[in-house]
Amino acid sequence: MGLAETIVFYLLIGVAVAVAVYVTEDAISAGERSFRTASAVAFWPIFLPPLLMRPKTAEPSKSATPPRAKDQDELTRAISQVETELDAALKSLDGWAENVLAAEHDRLNELRSAWYLQADRIRELDQLLVQPEFLADPKDAQDAATSGAADPVNDRRQNSLQARQVNIERLRQVRRQMHDDLLGTLAWVRELVTMIHLAKFTGAPASRAEELIEQIAASVEGLSEVTAWREEAVV
């Protein structure tokens, strides 16, 4: 390679480095920025190492969702409200029902987990049922019904389409039932929470508070049984 070619390649690299310097040096004055850019063309070996060592600024992912963004819906707000009220009621006991609180600690935690698990299952069903293949297609049913009732192939197709719609409707019913069960359980716990406060401020015996706490903890069993039964029904 001759001297002329070497100079050309040197200047090309210098121009590239100068462009990088111009783009990255945005925190200095315009005059100093222009001077450094022009100097980088001729003295790019000096400017190149700092550019390579410069830490890259992490760009926010366009597809990233804010933390718990999907959870900020009706169900999570309802669960959070009940959790807040339940915690306040349990803290207000001040050792009044300490023994039963210790005994039911695990079931109370299980109850909280069951609420969020149920909400997640409802969301999964919502995502499933809005997919195009799970929407009713009356055209297919009409075509199957009018393309010849005596055709065995058409009969089998029509039966399959009808059975498919039945299954989809069952999924919708399961979703509605799971939603109703969850909100019903939350409403029941809120009612029991007010009864705890009432028992405390009306001088009820400690056994009354213990009974109410046991009822709250036991509500997880009903929720779990209903959920399991609904899943078995779908299968």
Side-chain angles (χ1 to χ4, degrees), residues 45-198:
I46 300 175
F47 291 85
L48 185 58
L51 288 174
L52 296 178
M53 296 175 61
R54 183 184 297 272
K56 295 182 178 180
T57 302
E59 295 182 359
S61 173
K62 295 181 180 179
S63 60
T65 56
R68 297 182 62 85
K70 71 169 187 176
D71 296 339
Q72 303 306 318
D73 57 12
E74 170 207 358
L75 295 177
T76 299
R77 288 193 295 270
I79 294 172
S80 298
Q81 178 65 31
V82 176
E83 281 189 306
T84 300
E85 295 179 9
L86 178 59
D87 288 339
L90 298 180
K91 290 179 181 178
S92 70
L93 295 177
D94 296 329
W96 189 32
E98 184 175 353
N99 292 334
V100 73
L101 275 176
E104 299 293 353
H105 178 268
D106 290 341
R107 281 210 301 176
L108 289 172
N109 287 337
E110 184 182 353
L111 175 62
R112 298 171 190 264
S113 298
W115 289 340
Y116 285 104
L117 178 60
Q118 186 88 326
D120 286 339
R121 288 171 174 167
I122 293 170
R123 294 188 193 98
E124 289 177 7
L125 276 171
D126 287 340
Q127 294 175 1
L128 178 68
L129 293 172
V130 296
Q131 296 180 18
E133 57 268 28
F134 281 87
L135 299 177
D137 193 344
K139 182 178 182 301
D140 284 347
Q142 182 179 3
D143 291 345
T146 59
S147 59
D151 185 356
V153 175
N154 178 71
D155 289 344
R156 184 169 65 249
R157 176 169 177 260
Q158 183 175 1
N159 291 338
S160 295
L161 287 172
Q162 292 175 348
R164 181 175 182 275
Q165 292 304 318
V166 170
N167 292 336
I168 292 175
E169 180 56 32
R170 288 179 64 186
L171 282 172
R172 297 186 186 280
Q173 292 175 359
V174 169
R175 190 271 177 200
R176 287 193 293 268
Q177 188 62 52
M178 292 174 66
H179 185 269
D180 292 343
D181 292 337
L182 176 57
L183 294 186
T185 300
L186 294 175
W188 169 237
V189 171
R190 294 189 75 188
E191 179 183 351
L192 292 174
V193 163
T194 59
M195 294 172 70
I196 290 176
H197 290 298
L198 183 62

